[in-house]
Amino acid sequence: MSVTDLEAKLGYRFQNPDLRRLALTHRSHSAQHNERLEFLGDSVLNLAVAGLLYRELSNFDEGDLSRVRSSLVRQQALHDIAQTLSLHQHLHLGEGELKSGGLRRPSILADALEALFGAIFLDGGFDAAAKVIDGLYSPILKQVDPRTLGKDAKTLLQEFLQAHGLPLPAYQVVATSGAAHNQMFEVECSLLKLNITVLGNGASRRAAEQAAATKAFDAAQQALSEAPKKRRRSRKSPEPAPQAKLVFAPAEKSDAGAPAAGKPVTEKP
């Protein structure tokens, strides 16, 4: 892919191509590299995303805005955007980094994207950089739920249970394995009211708890979504009460020998 294609995806054409090249040059390639531009781009990115969130999430308070911004500008989010831009095709890396898979390394791709933002800021000003950043992040913001973005699994599970009036989960380490410097933890998460017990594994107790919370959250959502269906199935329409039948008793002969009219008799079911 040519640099023209990259600029088309960014929605910005560099007036100074040297800035673009510098933004895509890793320190392993040359003494002239992108680290200073990365520093600049980090600040430009944070301000542009803050402005975007301020406009789009008018009902969010400062704490929630900070949480969402933190999630959107972290390395993984930048790496994902860099992949959509095929940024690895334009990086300039040293021989050692190329051999070790540097073109696909998340940290290198994320840093290069920030450096590009810094380069656009120097080349065209903040408005130009903010326009590029808005164009990359607006679709992402429409695809995620800002209310949960950036929250870990334990927090999401706790808020979900509280919203449904259920007790908080109980976590317990049930097993550890491996050497002291390389331990693995197994944690049990129990939701007693829902009869849910799951296990999670991780390299630390916290990581194992998060893994267990993720499974418990999924199970709890499924259990509560199925509960109304079960209640509806259990509600059977009452059978209609049997109705009494009106029959006539056989006619009896009168003293005169003529049959008397039959008398109605109620027959119970």
Side-chain angles (χ1 to χ4, degrees):
M1 187 174 73
S2 68
V3 292
T4 303
D5 294 327
L6 174 61
E7 289 183 340
K9 286 186 175 182
L10 289 170
Y12 181 80
R13 186 180 184 86
F14 277 89
Q15 302 174 50
N16 182 357
D18 291 339
L19 281 171
R20 182 193 61 227
R21 179 177 176 83
L22 183 60
L24 297 172
T25 301
H26 189 256
R27 66 180 302 169
S28 64
H29 183 272
S30 169
Q32 297 295 318
H33 51 75
N34 63 7
E35 288 186 357
R36 283 171 56 83
L37 283 176
E38 176 202 337
F39 163 78
L40 183 60
D42 176 73
S43 296
V44 173
L45 173 64
N46 273 275
L47 180 55
V49 170
L52 174 65
L53 297 180
Y54 186 86
R55 295 190 301 273
E56 296 295 327
L57 306 179
S58 57
N59 294 327
F60 278 43
D61 60 23
E62 183 270 342
D64 286 332
L65 289 172
S66 295
R67 169 179 54 79
V68 176
R69 181 185 62 179
S70 177
S71 181
L72 291 176
V73 302
R74 63 192 176 95
Q75 183 184 104
Q76 184 59 52
L78 290 167
H79 173 240
D80 292 343
I81 294 174
Q83 286 187 308
T84 65
L85 297 172
S86 299
L87 202 59
H88 65 282
Q89 297 184 21
H90 305 282
L91 296 180
H92 306 292
L93 273 63
E95 193 67 26
E97 282 292 348
L98 285 172
K99 290 181 179 179
S100 64
L103 286 176
R104 297 290 185 179
R105 188 164 296 134
S107 60
I108 290 179
L109 288 167
D111 292 347
L113 183 58
E114 285 187 322
L116 269 178
F117 295 151
I120 295 172
F121 169 73
L122 292 179
D123 192 66
F126 178 75
D127 287 345
K131 183 178 180 181
V132 170
I133 292 169
D134 281 6
L136 294 172
Y137 274 94
S138 291
I140 297 174
L141 199 56
K142 292 176 181 178
Q143 295 172 4
V144 300
D145 185 354
R147 296 169 298 179
T148 61
L149 187 65
K151 293 182 179 180
D152 60 39
K154 289 182 67 175
T155 301
L156 289 173
L157 176 60
Q158 179 175 320
E159 291 180 350
F160 179 80
L161 294 174
Q162 288 176 330
H164 288 82
L166 296 169
L168 296 182
Y171 297 94
Q172 181 180 2
V173 177
V174 294
T176 57
S177 60
H181 65 283
N182 190 29
Q183 278 192 319
M184 287 295 294
F185 291 79
E186 186 173 47
V187 168
E188 179 185 271
C189 177
S190 300
L191 310 179
L192 299 180
K193 287 289 185 179
L194 298 177
N195 293 320
I196 292 173
T197 300
V198 295
L199 297 173
N201 297 280
S204 67
R205 176 172 179 168
R206 174 178 170 76
E209 287 179 348
Q210 292 291 350
T214 299
K215 294 180 180 179
F217 183 43
D218 292 341
Q221 287 182 304
Q222 183 176 354
L224 291 180
S225 67
E226 292 177 351
K229 298 177 184 178
K230 292 180 179 179
R231 285 198 295 269
R232 285 196 295 270
R233 285 197 296 266
S234 65
R235 291 177 188 153
K236 294 182 179 179
S237 300
E239 295 182 1
Q243 297 182 351
K245 295 179 181 179
L246 193 63
V247 297
F248 286 87
E252 297 178 357
K253 292 184 179 181
S254 62
D255 293 339
K263 297 181 180 179
V265 177
T266 299
E267 182 181 274
K268 295 184 179 180

